[in-house]
Amino acid sequence: MCSLGRAVREARVNVAVALTVGLLFGVGVMLTLRRDLVRMASGGLLVTNSAILFTLSTGFAERGEPLLPGVEGQPMTDPLAQALGLTAIVIGFALTAFLAALDQALAEAMR
């Protein structure tokens, strides 16, 4: 009975993560298609965050320990998903900083 309750909780979490990723991606695409540069940057940031959340959610199929030497018989989390998530965070931050600088330069040129 305990495993059935755990499976139901995991299914609810998976549905919640899927809905959150879908909502973030949809709103991000909607904002990206706008003509305002600030909204386009915000949309790109939301799309990036939805991709990060999706990537990280694939690496945590079962709760496990991080990669530790000498621990046998226990499940481990996938370090590749964590590395890809961290890389995506850095790229998203750089893209956001670039778009903010571009927006600032454009605003000064329009004055």
Side-chain angles (χ1 to χ4, degrees):
M1 187 69 174
C2 182
S3 64
L4 179 61
R6 181 176 157 197
V8 169
R9 277 194 312 267
E10 288 177 2
R12 286 181 187 161
V13 169
N14 288 339
V15 169
V17 170
L19 288 174
T20 303
V21 168
L23 182 69
L24 281 175
F25 188 79
V27 171
V29 168
M30 183 187 71
L31 286 175
T32 304
L33 295 176
R34 302 287 179 179
R35 296 185 61 93
D36 185 21
L37 189 59
V38 173
R39 289 188 180 158
M40 287 176 66
S42 300
L45 184 65
L46 285 177
V47 169
T48 301
N49 286 338
S50 70
I52 292 168
L53 184 62
F54 175 72
T55 303
L56 288 178
S57 69
T58 60
F60 298 113
E62 56 186 46
R63 177 116 177 138
E65 297 297 322
L67 192 58
L68 294 174
V71 178
E72 294 189 23
Q74 292 188 1
M76 290 188 307
T77 57
D78 188 13
L80 181 63
Q82 295 173 3
L84 288 174
L86 184 60
T87 304
I89 289 170
V90 170
I91 291 171
F93 179 72
L95 180 66
T96 303
F98 173 72
L99 288 176
L102 184 65
D103 189 32
Q104 181 69 26
L106 188 63
E108 288 178 5
M110 295 299 283
R111 287 185 195 174

